[in-house]
Amino acid sequence: MDKILEPTVLTEIESRRFLQKYHINLNKAAFTTSKSETLKAAEKMSFPLVLKVASKEIVHKSDVGGVVTNIETTEEISQAYDSVYTNAAAKGIHEDKIDGVVLQEMINGQEEMLVGIKRDPLFGPVLVIGLGGVFVELMRDVSLGICPLTKVEILSMIKSLKGYPLLNGYRGRPKLDVDALVLLCEEIMHMALDDERISELDLNPVMIKEQGKGAIAVDARIVLTENDE
Ligand code: ADP
Ligand code: MG
């Protein structure tokens, strides 16, 4: 019997759980389904915080006003909670379609990067690295490499980006933690080589900090496809 293989798109929180199984370092986050639960979750976190809508129907949370950053007080958490529901409703997304919210610690990186995996039917996992935001969208500034890759190969992928000078102290800017970025790329490469169900993995953005201070993903999206056996 032929089986139809439906890919499963994991939400941010499901993707985070998956990444944690592989011990990938992420910012502190909690999934909650009511305002009181969200305020309680905040007690174990440090401000500033970020609150995001969680829904299987919403792929790009910021497009629907579903991401509030720079939350400094409990009062602001409460306002952010209401506003993501109101903003979603304004886009025609009813409350029933919203699973809850993700409250998480805000990470101030120097630059936003994109790190991902796309599984090619012929080549297997392909590592994708790019500068975040406008660089990826406008300039298609990404670099691709067929896995497995060595540390040296990953580093040269990063160096081949047009925006690389921004990571390397361009015009008096600080040098950023490229070593941590290489390590993160290696980890997700191993994850994709280990689990063949991973057909897509997107860490967008990865916040890259100054040298020695790390690189950390604050949004994650994984697509799984079951093997037909
Ligand atoms: P989506 O990609 O679904 O729109 P994201 O979770 O990537 O949602 O959030 C959108 C933007 O908000 C990010 O590109 C980043 O600029 C900012 N952001 C999200 N989470 C954080 C965080 N924890 N710390 C700092 N900035 C964040
Ligand atoms: Mg994102």
Side-chain angles (χ1 to χ4, degrees):
M1 272 276 272
D2 275 353
K3 225 175 24 177
I4 298 172
L5 300 174
E6 279 292 327
T8 311
V9 183
L10 305 187
T11 60
E12 175 173 350
I13 210 78
E14 289 165 340
S15 303
R16 281 174 173 271
R17 285 195 197 111
F18 211 103
L19 290 156
Q20 274 157 354
K21 278 203 297 194
Y22 284 84
H23 307 291
I24 291 168
N25 183 28
L26 297 165
N27 59 334
K28 203 175 212 180
F31 169 68
T32 54
T33 54
S34 71
K35 195 189 274 190
S36 59
E37 211 190 331
T38 310
L39 293 171
K40 188 137 184 53
E43 290 169 9
K44 297 196 195 80
M45 295 185 188
S46 341
F47 288 102
L49 298 174
V50 176
L51 186 141
K52 306 182 192 179
V53 70
S55 164
K56 292 207 167 30
E57 312 271 311
I58 303 171
V59 180
H60 298 292
K61 300 174 286 287
S62 41
D63 288 355
V64 300
V67 178
V68 182
T69 56
N70 282 308
I71 298 172
E72 298 280 5
T73 62
T74 326
E75 179 58 29
E76 285 175 26
I77 299 174
S78 192
Q79 288 164 359
Y81 187 94
D82 293 335
S83 81
V84 297
Y85 276 88
T86 312
N87 294 344
K91 297 273 179 182
I93 302 154
H94 192 259
E95 213 175 297
D96 298 352
K97 302 278 184 207
I98 297 176
D99 306 318
V101 302
V102 177
L103 184 72
Q104 60 186 247
E105 291 186 346
M106 180 145 174
I107 304 290
N108 281 315
Q110 296 286 334
E111 291 292 337
E112 295 194 10
M113 306 282 302
L114 163 150
V115 172
I117 292 281
K118 296 260 181 295
R119 190 176 300 272
D120 180 89
L122 212 56
F123 299 118
V126 176
L127 179 69
V128 184
I129 310 174
L131 263 291
V134 282
F135 278 95
V136 171
E137 282 152 31
L138 244 52
M139 297 162 71
R140 308 236 169 271
D141 189 14
V142 293
S143 141
L144 305 177
I146 297 167
C147 302
L149 293 151
T150 64
K151 264 196 171 64
V152 173
E153 286 169 330
I154 295 172
L155 182 60
S156 62
M157 280 172 69
I158 297 170
K159 287 187 173 166
S160 76
L161 293 169
K162 292 187 201 78
Y164 176 69
L166 293 174
L167 310 181
N168 196 37
Y170 181 69
R171 293 212 166 167
R173 289 164 181 255
K175 279 193 183 226
L176 307 188
D177 205 337
V178 173
D179 292 342
L181 186 66
V182 171
L183 216 62
L184 179 65
C185 291
E186 256 196 316
E187 284 172 343
I188 71 142
M189 172 184 83
H190 287 307
M191 197 173 146
L193 289 169
D194 181 63
D195 191 333
E196 290 188 355
R197 293 174 306 160
I198 300 170
S199 62
E200 271 178 55
L201 189 159
D202 273 302
L203 304 181
N204 187 12
V206 169
M207 300 299 196
I208 179 165
K209 301 192 200 181
E210 288 179 28
Q211 215 164 39
K213 295 192 173 160
I216 186 160
V218 299
D219 186 24
R221 179 174 168 277
I222 296 177
V223 182
L224 298 178
T225 313
E226 292 294 338
N227 270 332
D228 193 7
E229 288 178 296

